[in-house]
Amino acid sequence: MRKKINRRLFEIAIFSIVITTVVMTSVFYTQLQRQVFSDLQAVAGLLIEEGNYEKTTVDFRITLIQNNGEVLFDSVGDAQTMENHLGRPEVRDAVEYGFGKGMRKSDTLSATWFYYAQVLDDNTILRVGKEAHSVISVFMSTLPGVCVMVLLLAGICFILSQYLTTDIVKPIEEMAGELDHITSEVYPELVPFATKIQSQHEQILQSANIRQEFTANVSHELKTPLTAISGYAELMESGMANEKDMKHFSGEIRKSAARLLSLINDIIKLSELDSGNVKDMQEIVNLSDIAEESVEMLRLQAQKNHITIQYQGIPCANVRIGKELAQELVYNLIQNAIRYNKPYGFVYVRIKKAEGMVVFEVQDTGIGIAREHQDRVFERFYRVDKSRSKQLGGTGLGLAIVKHICTVTDGELSLESEPDKGTIITVKWKE
């Protein structure tokens, strides 16, 4: 960036110098032309005042012409051999307006001349000329000085561009090195950008910490059932277990394997949600159908725990969430309500519409959640009662999955709970 800024500043400076030189040269040459014509007019006035029109001078060409264009006298050529001059622009203008001037190549002398012509009292025309090369020589004599000035200015601009580039880039470089402490010296226009970078930096660090904590938790959670499986299998392999123990150990291995499988499935689901690899998220589904299916699937589990499930919902509640995510969310919330309920408790599943939103609500009459835990229950592997959760087969990832699904589908998730009275979890989506 530093080289690019430096190059751009230098290019702008050189462009400005060239344009200024061209404009000033044009102005100078125009002024010089005006001065030459003014001098020619003054010389013509002196000649008229002296009355000597056939004066010879090395600086000027003097020509006397009759009003019919015939040349009577020319100071640098033979008047007898010259063609009629009535067609010359300056002579023609003089005949029409009393005076004329112009710059052109002389047919007689094959050189470029400045001319001024004026009608005399006897209707003859006095023309005074000056060769153009003398004007150009004046201009050329100034050219070396102009070139030196251009080079000098280019050098100054190069040094200034280096200084300005350093001055412009310095606050940005300091900001890059001190993202955590943006000073007042940073350009105001860059403050939003720096703030955004800060925010992203903090999010990356936070995400890294969450992933590190998640990895540690996953290792611990996977280690527990694997250790149990390995221990029971070792006892069975050694032959130390009798038939009764074998049956017990087999059951424990099955439970640990089931828990391990549940953990792996939940971890895979969270990884998919984290990576954004959700294929059917744009699919519109009827949430009422999915809720009814999930209630029927979990009714047997509820009956085993002496829990009564009641479903109440509108027939059509279309939500852009995708079938797989909808099933995951609904099943998790209803299963949680059953798992952490009290014997002979109730689970109420409701679907309704309110204020342009589709509302899905799961209410239980279970153990409830204390206020200090309510903000954290959607964290991965967070359990209010760890021993109870593991005993009931919970992985600690169900509500984390629910929260992620709500995030990727723009769902509004809320929780109301009171210990020993139950919990209400509500999710809302725009129709």
Side-chain angles (χ1 to χ4, degrees):
M1 184 179 70
R2 179 187 292 270
K3 290 182 178 179
K4 188 173 183 179
I5 293 174
N6 186 30
R7 186 174 65 251
R8 292 297 185 210
L9 288 174
F10 186 66
E11 287 173 355
I12 291 170
I14 293 300
F15 178 76
S16 301
I17 290 171
V18 171
I19 293 297
T20 302
T21 303
V22 171
V23 171
M24 292 305 296
T25 301
S26 176
V27 171
F28 172 75
Y29 190 67
T30 301
Q31 291 296 327
L32 192 59
Q33 282 184 328
R34 290 178 181 175
Q35 185 61 45
V36 171
F37 284 126
S38 179
D39 291 345
L40 292 176
Q41 185 177 1
V43 170
L46 289 173
L47 292 174
I48 293 171
E49 186 178 340
E50 292 177 1
N52 182 11
Y53 307 128
E54 298 182 1
K55 183 176 181 179
T56 303
T57 173
V58 294
D59 295 325
F60 299 96
R61 178 184 179 185
I62 310 299
T63 308
L64 193 61
I65 307 167
Q66 285 190 359
N67 58 3
N68 62 0
E70 182 182 347
V71 179
L72 299 176
F73 169 77
D74 190 272
S75 61
V76 297
D78 186 1
Q80 300 296 324
T81 61
M82 291 182 182
E83 62 183 19
N84 192 288
H85 275 39
L86 194 61
R88 303 294 196 270
E90 69 278 2
V91 175
R92 187 169 59 248
D93 287 346
V95 171
E96 186 173 354
Y97 303 113
F99 70 95
K101 58 183 178 179
M103 178 183 176
R104 61 179 177 79
K105 185 175 181 180
S106 172
D107 295 333
T108 303
L109 302 176
S110 299
T112 302
W113 288 74
F114 288 94
Y115 288 113
Y116 176 81
Q118 185 171 333
V119 177
L120 304 178
D121 293 338
D122 59 359
N123 287 330
T124 57
I125 301 167
L126 174 66
R127 186 182 71 175
V128 181
K130 187 175 182 65
E131 194 172 356
H133 73 78
S134 60
V135 177
I136 295 173
S137 64
V138 172
F139 171 72
M140 291 300 292
S141 66
T142 65
L143 188 61
V146 172
C147 291
V148 170
M149 184 60 67
V150 168
L151 292 175
L152 181 62
L153 288 174
I156 294 173
C157 289
F158 178 76
I159 295 171
L160 286 175
S161 66
Q162 295 278 356
Y163 173 77
L164 288 174
T165 300
T166 301
D167 191 54
I168 291 170
V169 173
K170 184 179 178 181
I172 300 175
E173 291 177 340
E174 290 177 351
M175 181 187 71
E178 296 288 339
L179 273 178
D180 295 333
H181 305 284
I182 301 176
T183 64
S184 58
E185 295 179 4
V186 176
Y187 304 115
E189 295 83 1
L190 287 178
V191 171
F193 171 74
T195 304
K196 184 67 175 179
I197 294 295
Q198 274 185 336
S199 175
Q200 290 179 346
H201 181 63
E202 290 172 2
Q203 288 175 3
I204 291 171
L205 290 177
Q206 185 179 5
S207 177
N209 291 333
I210 290 173
R211 288 181 182 277
Q212 186 176 8
E213 184 181 352
F214 178 66
T215 302
N217 287 331
V218 166
S219 300
H220 176 73
E221 294 293 335
L222 291 176
K223 186 177 179 180
T224 301
L226 284 173
T227 301
I229 291 171
S230 177
Y232 288 126
E234 187 177 350
L235 288 173
M236 293 170 67
E237 184 183 24
S238 66
M240 295 173 62
N242 56 36
E243 186 177 347
K244 183 180 178 182
D245 289 336
M246 290 283 285
K247 186 176 180 180
H248 171 69
F249 292 163
S250 298
E252 292 299 323
I253 289 173
R254 181 189 58 77
K255 290 178 183 178
S256 295
R259 172 170 167 72
L260 188 61
L261 185 60
S262 296
L263 270 170
I264 292 171
N265 288 334
D266 285 350
I267 290 168
I268 291 172
K269 177 56 64 178
L270 273 174
S271 298
E272 289 177 352
L273 291 169
D274 281 339
S275 64
N277 184 23
V278 185
K279 297 179 181 178
D280 65 341
M281 192 176 69
Q282 298 300 318
E283 181 187 353
I284 297 177
V285 296
N286 186 352
L287 200 64
S288 298
D289 292 341
I290 291 174
E292 288 184 46
E293 291 173 4
S294 297
V295 166
E296 290 305 315
M297 289 171 62
L298 290 166
R299 194 176 294 279
L300 180 60
Q301 181 181 340
Q303 288 173 354
K304 287 181 179 180
N305 292 283
H306 307 290
I307 306 296
T308 302
I309 299 182
Q310 293 184 1
Y311 171 74
Q312 180 182 0
I314 56 178
C316 184
N318 291 331
V319 178
R320 190 180 295 277
I321 179 177
K323 186 174 181 180
E324 185 179 342
L325 295 185
Q327 288 173 336
E328 191 78 33
L329 181 142
V330 171
Y331 192 91
N332 265 318
L333 289 180
I334 298 175
Q335 188 180 51
N336 259 22
I338 295 170
R339 183 176 288 156
Y340 299 102
N341 214 317
K342 297 177 181 178
Y344 305 101
F346 289 86
V347 173
Y348 303 99
V349 180
R350 306 184 187 96
I351 295 180
K352 57 186 177 181
K353 291 184 180 181
E355 300 178 351
M357 308 283 282
V358 173
V359 182
F360 174 67
E361 185 177 275
V362 178
Q363 180 180 2
D364 64 64
T365 57
I367 60 176
I369 304 169
R371 185 172 297 276
E372 63 267 21
H373 297 292
Q374 290 180 12
D375 292 334
R376 301 197 61 191
V377 291
F378 294 102
E379 295 179 10
R380 302 173 185 187
F381 294 114
Y382 186 83
R383 299 181 179 91
V384 177
D385 186 339
K386 294 185 179 181
S387 59
R388 178 184 174 91
S389 179
K390 289 184 178 180
Q391 185 181 358
L392 295 174
T395 64
L397 295 174
L399 290 181
I401 292 173
V402 169
K403 182 181 178 180
H404 270 64
I405 293 173
C406 291
T407 300
V408 299
T409 60
D410 297 324
E412 297 179 12
L413 178 64
S414 61
L415 178 145
E416 296 177 28
S417 186
E418 191 174 342
D420 296 323
K421 290 188 178 180
T423 302
I424 302 175
I425 295 180
T426 306
V427 186
K428 299 179 182 179
W429 294 273
K430 290 183 180 179
E431 289 190 78

